[in-house]
Amino acid sequence: MYKITYIPTGHIFLLPENEAKELKEKYPDDYKILEKNGKKFKDTIKKKSGSDENSIYSKVIDKD
């Protein structure tokens, strides 16, 4: 059993291995694995690179 958290809301779920891996593959930015079979697991989340072209930040910051 895997303990995973849904990052946007903070809810924690206890799911079978295949379900947890499927969610992590489909939505890697939304889920974080906390435990694998009762043992703590250090899951890394990739930070989004770049920014939205329509945001104010992209209009203010000059990119080289």
Side-chain angles (χ1 to χ4, degrees), residues 47-53 55 57-58 63:
K47 294 184 178 181
K48 295 179 182 178
S49 61
S51 62
D52 186 18
E53 293 180 11
S55 71
Y57 180 77
S58 65
K63 295 182 181 177

Side-chain angles (χ1 to χ4, degrees), residues 1 3 33-43:
M1 297 297 276
K3 185 185 282 189
I33 298 174
L34 301 175
E35 291 183 8
K36 285 185 176 182
N37 298 324
K39 296 181 182 177
K40 291 187 179 182
F41 180 75
K42 189 171 186 176
D43 191 13

Side-chain angles (χ1 to χ4, degrees), residues 1-2 8 10 13-17 19 21 25 41-42 44 46 49 52 56:
M1 297 297 276
Y2 280 41
F13 302 98
L14 189 61
L15 298 171
E17 180 179 353
E19 292 292 325
K21 286 184 178 181
E25 288 175 5
F41 180 75
K42 189 171 186 176
T44 57
K46 296 179 184 176
S49 61
D52 186 18
I56 294 173

Side-chain angles (χ1 to χ4, degrees), residues 4-8 15 17-33 43 45-46 48:
I4 64 170
T5 184
Y6 183 58
I7 296 170
L15 298 171
E17 180 179 353
N18 58 351
E19 292 292 325
K21 286 184 178 181
E22 183 179 328
L23 285 173
K24 183 68 178 170
E25 288 175 5
K26 286 185 179 180
Y27 311 103
D29 297 333
D30 291 342
Y31 289 94
K32 181 177 179 183
I33 298 174
D43 191 13
I45 298 175
K46 296 179 184 176
K48 295 179 182 178

